[in-house]
Amino acid sequence: MTEFDTLFRNARLSDGRVVDIAIRNGRIAAITSDQRGSVSARETLDINRRLVLPGLVDGHIHLDKGFIGDEWKPHRPCTAGFNVRERVEFEKQELAKAKPIPVRAAGLIELCVTQGTTHMRSHVDIDPEIGLRNLEQVVAVRDAHRDRVSIQIVAFPQSGIVTAPGTRELLDEAVRNGADLVGGLDPAGYDGDIAGHLDAIFDIAGRHGVGIDIHLHDGDLLGVFEIEEIARRTKALGLAGKVTISHAYALGQVSRDIAQRAANQLAEAGVSILTNAPGAHAFPPVLLLHDAGVNVFAGNDNIRDSWWPYGDGDLLERAMIVGYRSGFNTDAELALAFDMVTSSAAKALNIDDYGLVEGGAADFLVLGAQHIQEAVISRPKPRDVYKTGRLIASNGAMTADGR
């Protein structure tokens, strides 16, 4: 008789099967329809036919920017329409008066984890004024919370690279001191130097063997030109699967033919696209990209910070927002929205042991729904969240294991 650490009985999977899931050493050791005669475990839990989903993956968040755990701060609009440079200045002013990063980041992590997030990619500001202070604090927060959530860190040049002398060297140092990827920001619109900006990013990534995640708000044909240039460099340097373009608003602002051409190049190069389908902004045509073979995924991005006051960390709600704004109605389309906060995000983040499969990490959530379509549409609660087979959050609160 095989002995396991924990046996979850009567678990409903997304394909409708009701199974038993056995956990050993933080991993899924077995998934079977009937283990009652051949399995023993130190602990047995009955899921009562609730739906078991793989842990949600937030592909884009900013742990150093949020005001969760701090006082409410009214949103300050730009003076003449949205402007990234002005928005950054407003943010710096607000963050100078905010509580320390460890307090706010911990509050944001708890908010997300209790909703079902088990993995996230956080962009962290790096510039000559901040230096590596934000990185050092987020690395410490990451290490302190590693039993609750797995966190990747992107060294993010929020104030540009070419226009902020010294940032290139700081990005290089950041990757040597805890950052997992190197980021970028509007090579044309912010830095005014597409080649110089991309040269810096791709050089750092190539020398250190890390991935790239570039914020790209630049719109229309200019933005598409940058997208195609990023795809060209990715293909030329053999970085397929290691490069993400976040936001890529331009793909939602040009004709379908132009978007299709760019999608084909992205797919061939192996570049992923991140979207959170934000507010009134144009955003990439998810279905067109997906059908072209592009890996499209989602994340919450900013949550209750200087950029906007919205967000509760619920990735099922984010999937619903993406689906709603994309006009998704069929079961297949709703499944695609769900994939964007689970398997597609895990693929973009190169998480090898992801998913409800034997041998995978035992990271999952349990909720009351019949299938993933209902989960996206109704975002049911309460939820139980497990990390490496341990219950870390239940009914909107951290457990003793989750502290």
Side-chain angles (χ1 to χ4, degrees), residues 7-11 20 36 44-50:
L7 181 64
F8 295 89
R9 293 201 182 277
N10 296 314
D20 295 343
R36 296 177 188 278
T44 299
L45 299 173
D46 193 336
I47 297 298
N48 293 316
R49 303 175 77 88
R50 287 187 294 162

Side-chain angles (χ1 to χ4, degrees), residues 9-13 15-21 31-34 36 46-50:
R9 293 201 182 277
N10 296 314
R12 182 186 301 278
L13 300 183
D15 61 8
R17 287 183 298 146
V18 177
V19 301
D20 295 343
I21 303 175
I31 301 176
T32 68
S33 298
D34 185 7
R36 296 177 188 278
D46 193 336
I47 297 298
N48 293 316
R49 303 175 77 88
R50 287 187 294 162

Side-chain angles (χ1 to χ4, degrees), residues 21-345:
I21 303 175
I23 310 300
R24 184 192 296 120
N25 297 327
R27 295 191 170 273
I28 299 172
I31 301 176
T32 68
S33 298
D34 185 7
Q35 301 186 65
R36 296 177 188 278
S38 60
V39 172
S40 66
R42 287 192 285 274
E43 181 180 19
T44 299
L45 299 173
D46 193 336
I47 297 298
N48 293 316
R49 303 175 77 88
R50 287 187 294 162
L51 185 63
V52 179
L53 301 174
L56 306 178
V57 182
D58 197 323
H60 190 117
I61 197 168
H62 292 266
L63 289 175
D64 58 339
K65 295 180 183 290
F67 297 133
I68 299 295
D70 204 342
E71 297 176 356
W72 174 261
K73 300 184 187 302
H75 181 74
R76 182 181 178 186
C78 291
T79 54
F82 179 78
N83 179 277
V84 174
R85 194 175 293 276
E86 186 178 36
R87 189 84 261 145
V88 171
E89 180 55 35
F90 288 172
E91 176 185 70
K92 287 180 178 292
Q93 294 171 15
E94 291 294 336
L95 288 176
K97 301 176 289 185
K99 289 185 177 180
I101 286 175
V103 174
R104 294 182 286 108
L108 185 50
I109 286 172
E110 181 172 344
L111 181 70
C112 294
V113 168
T114 56
Q115 307 276 19
T117 297
T118 58
H119 297 77
M120 59 175 59
R121 174 180 284 181
S122 175
H123 296 252
V124 176
D125 288 4
I126 306 290
D127 69 23
E129 179 183 339
I130 296 170
L132 300 184
R133 292 196 306 274
N134 285 24
L135 174 68
E136 292 163 355
Q137 293 179 79
V138 174
V139 166
V141 170
R142 175 183 66 182
D143 294 344
H145 291 80
R146 67 173 61 255
D147 292 337
R148 306 162 205 171
V149 62
S150 302
I151 301 174
Q152 290 183 4
I153 295 176
V154 183
F156 175 43
Q158 178 69 89
S159 300
I161 300 175
V162 177
T163 56
T167 300
R168 179 173 182 161
E169 292 74 20
L170 284 168
L171 291 174
D172 191 272
E173 187 177 354
V175 172
R176 289 186 276 108
N177 286 274
D180 303 290
L181 301 94
V182 61
L185 171 67
D186 295 340
Y190 202 97
D191 256 354
D193 186 347
I194 296 173
H197 192 101
L198 295 181
D199 283 349
I201 294 168
F202 279 88
D203 174 65
I204 294 169
R207 285 190 292 103
H208 293 285
V210 299
I212 294 170
D213 193 327
I214 304 174
H215 282 65
L216 189 64
H217 310 95
D218 289 342
D220 300 308
L221 293 177
L222 173 61
V224 171
F225 174 82
E226 293 173 274
I227 288 167
E228 292 178 337
E229 175 62 14
I230 292 166
R232 186 192 68 77
R233 289 175 180 246
T234 299
K235 182 179 178 181
L237 295 173
L239 294 176
K242 299 185 69 174
V243 176
T244 290
I245 302 175
S246 288
H247 307 313
Y249 295 154
L251 292 173
Q253 297 172 325
V254 296
S255 69
R256 182 177 180 86
D257 287 347
I258 293 174
Q260 185 70 63
R261 183 190 72 195
N264 293 339
Q265 293 180 41
L266 290 166
E268 185 178 359
V271 175
S272 294
I273 295 292
L274 174 285
T275 186
N276 64 327
H281 287 282
F283 68 102
V286 173
L287 199 55
L288 181 151
L289 291 167
H290 172 75
D291 289 347
V294 180
N295 185 51
V296 193
F297 66 110
N300 278 304
D301 195 11
N302 302 87
I303 295 178
R304 301 186 202 175
D305 60 13
S306 292
W307 293 77
W308 53 59
Y310 295 100
D312 66 357
D314 186 357
L315 284 167
L316 289 180
E317 182 171 86
R318 182 58 51 189
M320 183 275 292
I321 291 171
V322 172
Y324 181 83
R325 293 207 63 205
S326 299
F328 287 177
N329 296 303
T330 68
D331 279 5
E333 290 168 341
L334 294 173
L336 172 57
F338 175 77
D339 286 346
M340 289 176 67
V341 298
T342 52
S343 58
S344 296

